[in-house]
Amino acid sequence: MTADRENPVIRTPHGAVRGRWDRQVAVFRGIPYAAPPFGPRRFRPPAPPDPWDGVREAAAFGPTAPKPPYSEAFAQYLSDPAFPGDDCLNLNVWTPDPAPGARLPVLVWLHGGALTRGSSAVPVYDGHTFARDGVVFVSVNYRLGVEGYGLFPDAPANPGLRDQLAALRWVHEAVEAFGGDPGRVTLGGQSAGAISTGALVAAPQARGLVRRAVLQSGPPETTDRDKVRRMVRRMANRLKVPATAEAFAAVDREQLLRAQADVSRLSSPVLGGPAFGIVVDGDLVPRDPLEALTDGAAPGVELLTGWTRDEYRLWLVPGGLVERVDRLGAVALAGAMARCRCGSEVPRGYRALHPDAGTSTLVGQLVTDHLLRVPLHRLADGRGDPSYVYEFAWPSRRPGMGACHALELGFVFDSGNEPDARKLAGEGAPQELADAMHGDWVRFVTDGSPGWERWNSRHPVRIYGDGAPRTAYGPRDRELALWATPAAGEPAPATAPELRSVIRRLRRSGALRRH
């Protein structure tokens, strides 16, 4: 590094970059870790970037991956800046001490957004607070949607996940120059970023690159290959081209995004449907990541994982879906049974435990437990290495949002003063809760323990809500025990035509419209 305190210069494996000092933290933005994934590289695994001579300016965020914007209904809660350009496989580094030998812990962050939206430039993900507290923070852009997770007969699967692996390898090679310790890397993410984290921690090719992992509101999972193929076929029909990577690579990227947005409108976390996702590919993802991790695929990796109390409210509140689902009543519950592949005894059990809950609350909790809490409990139960589990329960000040999906991010990052964090949290978020939650994440990244009891047979869960954080024992055990009945996990007792009828009624009602 140069001695220039105004413009620190670091040499990376591909060339030197010049960052900026900001509030006692050195910040480097838009560093390429792979070549632009367009032209002959489109739909292909990432390739190393071309080396450069001289010093590359790293003062501004780099281009973001192609993605459709959020609809107006979601944009009032979530920000998603977009920057044009081909060189979208880039990352950012915040460090308090950009010098070899500092050996600081490292947090590599994978953004959420259903693998179709999001970027490292989302203001809530500002890495300054982690660097301020002694952590080298790295945030990553990767390919999204059909560019990153389309499944084609003539191209390798999971190029977006391969991008993330390439970024991890870059960190392993380069982070020491930024003051980081390549042997103390925590990989973390929220939602799709957490799902990606789980897949990479389980991947044999990532062995030795990750010491700890943070999975926020996303379990290790893969998507059924036929679901992804159906999404690609729908796009191909709309574009009037073959469902091949060669044909899609010849389509203008804006036209491709429009087709992707059109065919995605009826996808929903409530009842599923065609979607983009990580798939078992026999290579980077040789088997289901949850099965691999509970079979010991990542020995020695410590885990911090959890959920928000009301995850589903971000899925249902925008656009008035709560009211629509409540009106549908039994039809919506039947749709949830189909989505969760459970028998009627599961929603009956939820009703008995929560007799005053509305239909949307029951449907939302059923789907949340099926998608998140059941597999995350299984993950924590099945591993011999230390696991720590939390629940975020502080309710947003925005009407109807509760402790919804993604609300905890402003507290984990201690970025609640950002206008973008207030879009979801509202005004008056408690700083003391951010201090506590952010401090616990820093402790986990630094030494592997966030400060509460590790997971055991008593099921300790750290609750972040009103007042001081506390530990509850088995707070979701009664609900999750319902999924252990013999019928749970089996298809709901209805014929395929009946289930298709339920889904058609939900779609006609607007309850499955994607916003």
Side-chain angles (χ1 to χ4, degrees):
M1 185 191 78
T2 66
D4 186 346
R5 292 291 294 177
E6 296 300 320
N7 299 294
V9 174
I10 298 291
R11 178 158 295 280
T12 78
H14 306 104
V17 293
R18 178 183 289 112
R20 297 293 185 272
W21 284 98
D22 177 17
R23 294 167 290 168
Q24 307 303 309
V25 167
V27 186
F28 302 79
R29 296 183 173 94
I31 304 172
Y33 66 85
F38 299 106
R41 300 191 185 99
R42 204 169 182 190
F43 300 105
R44 299 294 158 182
D50 291 332
W52 59 88
D53 296 324
V55 178
R56 182 184 181 116
E57 293 297 331
F61 286 114
T64 50
K67 56 186 175 176
Y70 281 120
S71 69
E72 185 177 346
F74 269 108
Q76 64 176 307
Y77 299 106
L78 302 173
S79 296
D80 194 11
F83 302 111
D86 288 355
D87 210 357
C88 62
L89 300 186
N90 58 70
L91 50 75
N92 318 293
V93 181
W94 284 258
T95 175
D97 188 2
R103 311 298 289 184
L104 297 170
V106 180
L107 174 57
V108 178
W109 183 257
L110 304 177
H111 67 79
L115 298 178
T116 58
R117 293 178 174 88
S119 78
S120 64
V122 172
V124 175
Y125 301 147
D126 190 304
H128 178 271
T129 55
F130 278 100
R132 173 199 69 194
D133 294 329
V135 174
V136 177
F137 182 86
V138 182
S139 58
V140 178
N141 282 338
Y142 54 92
R143 278 175 282 183
L144 303 169
V146 71
E147 300 271 5
Y149 297 92
L151 191 56
F152 300 98
D154 56 338
N158 300 316
L161 190 70
R162 296 173 191 275
D163 295 342
Q164 297 166 4
L165 177 62
L168 263 182
R169 288 173 170 160
W170 183 97
V171 168
H172 189 73
E173 295 176 6
V175 79
E176 188 172 1
F178 292 86
D181 183 348
R184 300 171 69 196
V185 172
T186 298
L187 180 63
Q190 185 267 346
S191 193
I195 293 170
S196 302
T197 295
L200 288 170
V201 171
Q205 294 183 35
R207 184 71 58 84
L209 299 179
V210 177
R211 179 68 183 84
R212 302 181 179 104
V214 177
L215 278 67
Q216 297 176 209
S217 299
E221 67 176 18
T222 54
T223 301
D224 181 75
R225 293 174 68 91
D226 189 55
K227 272 188 162 186
V228 181
R229 288 194 188 99
R230 280 158 45 208
M231 185 69 86
V232 171
R233 286 198 297 268
R234 289 182 179 187
M235 289 185 64
N237 290 338
R238 187 168 292 271
L239 293 165
K240 296 180 172 53
V241 300
T244 64
E246 180 181 14
F248 273 51
V251 176
D252 173 78
R253 71 184 72 168
E254 292 301 322
Q255 185 181 1
L256 206 61
L257 283 178
R258 288 193 295 271
Q260 177 181 304
D262 286 344
V263 302
S264 299
R265 282 184 301 168
L266 294 181
S267 297
S268 165
V270 178
L271 281 186
F276 293 113
I278 298 166
V279 299
V280 173
D281 58 18
D283 175 25
L284 179 56
V285 188
R287 59 184 297 206
D288 178 80
L290 180 56
E291 292 180 1
L293 288 172
T294 54
D295 282 351
V301 175
E302 295 147 332
L303 182 67
L304 171 60
T305 188
W307 50 76
T308 71
R309 185 188 63 197
D310 309 311
E311 299 271 5
Y312 66 94
R313 289 192 171 273
L314 187 63
W315 310 333
L316 295 183
V317 170
L321 300 187
V322 166
E323 293 79 6
R324 296 175 193 172
V325 171
D326 280 335
R327 284 198 305 270
L328 286 164
V331 175
L333 277 174
M337 288 165 55
R339 173 69 177 94
C340 300
R341 299 182 66 80
C342 65
S344 60
E345 72 287 342
V346 176
R348 279 201 304 266
Y350 276 69
R351 173 62 73 192
L353 291 171
H354 306 282
D356 298 325
T359 300
S360 62
T361 298
L362 288 179
V363 167
Q365 293 293 5
L366 274 168
V367 174
T368 297
D369 287 353
H370 169 69
L371 293 178
L372 296 175
R373 295 187 183 115
V374 169
L376 289 176
H377 261 243
R378 181 183 164 198
L379 176 64
D381 279 338
R383 302 184 71 245
D385 295 292
S387 294
Y388 300 88
V389 178
Y390 73 90
E391 176 172 297
F392 183 82
W394 181 83
S396 169
R397 303 304 191 212
R398 297 290 303 272
M401 295 304 289
C404 67
H405 192 66
L407 181 61
E408 87 284 5
L409 288 169
F411 296 84
V412 167
F413 279 82
D414 188 14
S415 55
N417 289 327
E418 287 280 351
D420 295 85
R422 295 198 296 270
K423 289 174 69 172
L424 192 57
E427 300 294 333
Q431 181 60 46
E432 60 271 19
L433 182 58
D435 292 341
M437 200 169 190
H438 174 74
D440 290 348
W441 262 241
V442 169
R443 276 188 289 276
F444 178 76
V445 172
T446 301
D447 62 23
S449 175
W452 69 87
E453 189 176 352
R454 63 182 284 185
W455 189 257
N456 55 49
S457 61
R458 301 175 67 199
H459 292 178
V461 177
R462 193 67 162 175
I463 308 294
Y464 295 96
D466 289 319
R470 60 186 177 85
T471 300
Y473 293 89
R476 299 283 174 180
D477 283 3
R478 293 188 304 166
E479 290 88 348
L480 300 185
L482 296 168
W483 299 89
T485 58
E490 297 298 325
T495 65
E498 287 171 336
L499 294 181
R500 285 196 294 269
S501 174
V502 167
I503 293 170
R504 282 196 298 270
R505 290 177 66 184
L506 286 166
R507 284 176 173 164
R508 283 198 299 270
S509 77
L512 293 186
R513 189 176 299 121
R514 185 170 186 168
H515 293 268

